[in-house]
Amino acid sequence: MSTPRPVWALGAALGEGPVWVEQGAALWFVDIKAPAIHRFTPGTGEQRTWAAPAQVGWVLPAEGGGMVAGMQTGVHRFDPATGAFSLIAAPEAHLPGNRLNDATVASDGAIWFGSMDDSEQSDTGRIYRLDADGAVDTGLPPVSVTNGPAFSLDGRTLYHHDTLGQTIWASTVEDGRVTDTRLFAAIEEGAGYPDGPVVDAEGCLWVSLFRGWGVRRYDPAGRLMATVPFPVANITKIAFGGPDLATAYATTAAKGLSAAELAAQPLAGALFAFDAGVAGPPGFLARV
């Protein structure tokens, strides 16, 4: 593994949701609190930004082109050519204090995503599954701040976080149904809060740590294998990218840092890259 290095020092308030998009060979991510969608193209160094009309938690590539974005107002199609957003589904229109927070695409093209209480106080965050037929609550217990989900390589295990509870959970998935939820790992007090998870090509789970100064790698049994230290406190999620999917990109956040902490962490909110020593699996395109 290599030391994380900044590749775009944009100072994001709450950088999140990195995803490698093969078409265009670019790393897409968001700043939830700006709010904005960003694209970084390593081959050319291009940095592109689109303003979002509401807090945006994630952006994912869609089958047939374009992107899908999860915002406080619901799931939207996003057209980078025009910057336009169009609503697909609003599963929590009745919860204006919630927002969408993290997501992944399953092998069948369905988007699995979570919500959270924007004030981080009430247990109103849930995990949903969205396909062409609409969004469905998976029935997992609500928490204040969800993160993930992420799938195992065979698609049968769903990893999801109770971030404020400092716990990582695993559930069995079969035919779109979630069962057998069990504790996968717990983050010890003082080590930060589990943020976005992602699985690598060897089936191990990478967990970013908000207020934890690093990223951890766990084996499929929940045993800690490695930790990658960062020069900033708030790491939110990683994604594997590059031509061989062997470069890990990490989003970070300046949110919640005091003036003194910001002065000591001038790279807070930057997009980082590092060699993880392992590649990631190819991603899937959303079919919604």
Side-chain angles (χ1 to χ4, degrees):
M1 298 183 186
S2 65
T3 300
R5 65 189 188 282
V7 294
W8 186 355
L10 74 165
L14 187 50
E16 255 289 7
V19 60
W20 181 258
V21 180
E22 184 177 352
Q23 184 177 5
L27 192 284
W28 292 72
F29 63 105
V30 304
D31 185 344
I32 296 174
K33 295 296 182 180
I37 294 173
H38 301 292
R39 184 184 69 195
F40 172 65
T41 307
T44 64
E46 181 191 33
Q47 302 166 351
R48 180 82 187 273
T49 297
W50 293 262
Q55 292 190 93
V56 55
W58 47 266
V59 62
L60 295 166
E63 191 173 66
M67 309 291 285
V68 181
M71 298 195 291
Q72 186 160 18
T73 49
V75 181
H76 294 69
R77 293 191 186 279
F78 167 60
D79 183 356
T82 64
F85 294 83
S86 56
L87 184 65
I88 297 173
E92 293 191 339
H94 60 296
L95 295 172
N98 270 19
R99 64 173 173 83
L100 305 189
N101 192 49
D102 199 3
T104 192
V105 181
S107 59
D108 63 357
I111 300 175
W112 292 65
F113 64 94
S115 66
M116 61 170 280
D117 174 22
D118 195 36
S119 67
E120 302 182 13
Q121 296 180 355
S122 302
D123 289 342
T124 55
R126 296 183 177 275
I127 301 289
Y128 296 88
R129 179 183 183 276
L130 173 69
D131 60 17
D133 294 326
V136 177
D137 188 337
T138 62
L140 287 167
V143 298
S144 178
V145 180
T146 66
N147 260 293
F151 280 98
S152 60
L153 294 178
D154 63 6
R156 298 187 62 187
T157 300
L158 186 76
Y159 300 104
H160 48 99
H161 298 170
D162 175 356
T163 294
L164 296 187
Q166 296 179 283
T167 47
I168 304 165
W169 300 87
S171 299
T172 299
V173 177
E174 187 173 2
D175 297 328
R177 294 181 295 106
V178 179
T179 60
D180 186 29
T181 298
R182 64 266 184 200
L183 182 66
F184 177 79
I187 305 300
E188 64 273 20
E189 196 64 36
Y193 298 87
D195 215 315
V198 65
V199 172
D200 65 30
E202 295 179 356
C204 295
L205 185 71
W206 292 75
V207 177
S208 297
L209 296 173
F210 199 92
R211 285 285 184 176
W213 297 87
V215 176
R216 290 182 173 183
R217 187 188 190 214
Y218 291 88
D219 72 10
R223 293 183 290 257
L224 179 62
M225 299 179 68
T227 300
V228 180
F230 273 69
V232 295
N234 300 333
I235 300 86
T236 55
K237 192 171 184 177
I238 75 165
F240 294 96
D244 52 5
L245 297 178
T247 299
Y249 292 93
T251 48
T252 66
K255 177 180 179 288
L257 299 179
S258 67
E261 288 172 325
L262 287 171
Q265 300 175 46
L267 292 174
L271 175 68
F272 288 83
F274 65 97
D275 178 2
V278 63
F284 301 105
L285 299 177
R287 300 174 189 166
V288 294

